[in-house]
Amino acid sequence: LPCLPPSLPSFLPSSDRRSGLILTIPLCLEQTNMDELSVTLDYLLSIPSEKCKARGFTVIVDGRKSQWNVVKTVVVMLQNVVPAEVSLVCVVKPDEFWDKKVTHFCFWKEKDRLGFEVILVSANKLTRYIEPCQLTEDFGGSLTYDHMDWLNKRLVFEKFTKESTSLLDELALINNGSDKGNQQEKERSVDLNFLPSVDPETVLQTGHELLSELQQRRFNGSDGGVSWSPMDDELLAQPQVMKLLDSLREQYTRYQEVCRQRSKRTQLEEIQQKVMQVVNWLEGPGSEQLRAQWGIGDSIRASQALQQKHEEIESQHSEWFAVYVELNQQIAALLNAGDEEDLVELKSLQQQLSDVCYRQASQLEFRQNLLQAALEFHGVAQDLSQQLDGLLGMLCVDVAPADGASIQQTLKLLEEKLKSVDVGLQGLREKGQGLLDQISNQASWAYGKDVTIENKENVDHIQGVMEDMQLRKQRCEDMVDVRRLKMLQMVQLFKCEEDAAQAVEWLSELLDALLKTHIRLGDDAQETKVLLEKHRKFVDVAQSTYDYGRQLLQATVVLCQSLRCTSRSSGDTLPRLNRVWKQFTIASEERVHRLEMAIAFHSNTEKILQDCPEEPEAINDEEQFDEIEAVGKSLLDRLTVPVVYPDGTEQYFGSPSDMASTAEHIRDRMKLVNLKRQQLRHPEMVTTES
């Protein structure tokens, strides 16, 4: 493809009034290279089809920026370059240039020799010969044409044509060579020409993009804003590109099949080699590593060490298992291809590889599960041992609680620890039995190796651990029973002491109530008798409280003897109980004496104050008046005397105001008795006063 700058000839995407192509030849001020122009014209004229050429050409020579002699040379050149299809040559002249007579004379003289009509015309009058819509703006028309866009597409077309033609030859050589001769010649031919000089995918992509460009109805719509139809050369190029693409796809498909067959043969050989490598290692060094590992360890640390060793073995196996996965995928892909000649061999390789890998993976998984179960067993055994140690330590420490609540809390904690030990022992038995079950199945994976000795050692170790834990737990249970009984007795002891102290408090409250609230002596004999009866019931309650406290204190003595400890109640609560009871007894007796004196006082007073004609002698008895007066005075004196306890302390009944009110009532009664006495002695005094 020659260089086609915008200043050189080009076809417009339009037609003249005879439907012929329009060829424009722009000339510039610089010297025009006629050789280059000739080559360009030859190339352009090779593009249209014969049918298109038969309609003739209209050539527009733009000489507005050139000299007359150059224009003349170009017009003469058209006779040699352009065939007889040229029907009209329009020379666009400048407005004020060239001698009209000379130019007209020259073209008229050469008309018969040239074989086509040449006219000189101004740009604004070119539309007389060609429709304005078929001319570009340079010639006063409205046609939009991008010469660079056409040039770029043409370059892509030329490049694709060249590359695709060369690639077709190479692919045909490779494909034809693979179909000839025997197998060795075929392989040799493919080896020598296996890679084409260019990438078929790239060439095909270029062809598809070019075809898409050629099949568009609009070009440069985003730039010019005006749509226009494809040129004839573009329409002509479409079938060429489609034909080349079809040929390329056909040859490329055959080429891919050749490559696929060779790749499949190479892949099959590599698969066979890798399968044997995997099988040989798994059945050799891999199996030997597993045969050497059968112990479970006797502690957490030992089991962890065995697990770490097993992880190293698994890591080595993982590399080979990764190869197995890759090989299995490759074999599956080849099986899906459906080549009958390779199906049997591929299935055999796949089955052999899968059997060995699954057997080895199952062995690894079994070993991992066994070690994990052993680690869990030893972990539970260690936790249970620590729980038993903690429980034993708690049982070995003497109990010295401060109160019953502390004992209850300690007892609850002891029960919880024992329950936790029971749960732990049950978990240990379950883990141990599960581990024993796995060990019993271990022989099936031994690859013919006798593992009876190893299994016996493992079984003896597991059973020994469980038996030892059972014995330790039984000893702790016995000690817990003893401790539980002792703690329950201590709870009872504290309860008795607390209740005894409560009895002392109750008795003290009764004494306090007796002294502060039991102060009234009654307004008459009947009320005083009721108060005396209530007081006796009150004393019975106090007696019951005192007896209850004594019984509790006696129980504490028995419990202390059983627990071999000293009770705090013997030196504190019992003396307090006896002291309060003694004080209550003294105060109660004083209350009884006062109530009895009050009853006697009120009874005699009521007899005197009532008029009883049936017993005049009794009423006139002076001794009765003297006795009433003596009892009243004694009662008044007793109200002013405090209760004296054995320790010398004194306590009054009620407040002074309460005692004053009671004494005032007694004095009033005594005044009434004295008045009655005066009436009996001097009846006339009563009549006079009346």
Side-chain angles (χ1 to χ4, degrees), residues 49-118:
S49 63
E50 295 300 326
K51 181 179 179 181
C52 185
K53 292 178 182 179
R55 291 195 296 267
F57 296 104
T58 294
V59 181
I60 300 176
V61 179
D62 188 1
R64 288 175 294 180
K65 297 181 181 180
S66 183
Q67 299 177 0
W68 163 247
N69 58 346
V70 176
V71 174
K72 181 180 178 181
T73 304
V74 172
V75 172
V76 173
M77 181 188 297
L78 292 175
Q79 181 189 18
N80 300 324
V81 176
V82 182
E85 287 81 1
V86 175
S87 58
L88 176 64
V89 176
C90 296
V91 178
V92 182
K93 63 180 181 178
D95 294 337
E96 295 180 359
F97 195 71
W98 307 337
D99 190 313
K100 295 183 179 180
K101 296 181 179 180
V102 174
T103 54
H104 183 271
F105 173 77
C106 291
F107 283 118
W108 175 81
K109 186 174 58 176
E110 298 292 335
K111 179 179 180 180
D112 295 335
R113 185 175 61 87
L114 291 174
F116 48 77
E117 182 181 2
V118 179

Side-chain angles (χ1 to χ4, degrees), residues 140-160:
S142 60
L143 178 66
T144 301
Y145 170 66
D146 188 349
H147 181 58
M148 289 305 298
D149 178 69
W150 176 87
L151 183 60
N152 291 332
K153 287 200 293 287
R154 192 67 193 180
L155 289 172
V156 174
F157 171 76
E158 294 289 348
K159 180 181 178 182
F160 169 72

Side-chain angles (χ1 to χ4, degrees), residues 231-274:
M231 295 175 61
D232 185 72
D233 65 293
E234 294 172 345
L235 296 175
L236 185 62
Q238 292 182 25
Q240 298 179 32
V241 174
M242 294 175 65
K243 183 178 180 180
L244 287 172
L245 285 174
D246 293 340
S247 300
L248 276 176
R249 281 191 290 266
E250 180 183 357
Q251 291 295 332
Y252 184 51
T253 302
R254 292 182 58 194
Y255 169 74
Q256 287 179 318
E257 179 62 21
V258 170
C259 295
R260 190 187 69 81
Q261 292 293 336
R262 176 55 187 271
S263 176
K264 187 186 69 173
R265 287 192 296 271
T266 304
Q267 188 178 11
L268 183 58
E269 293 175 358
E270 292 177 353
I271 288 175
Q272 290 175 341
Q273 182 180 1
K274 290 182 179 180

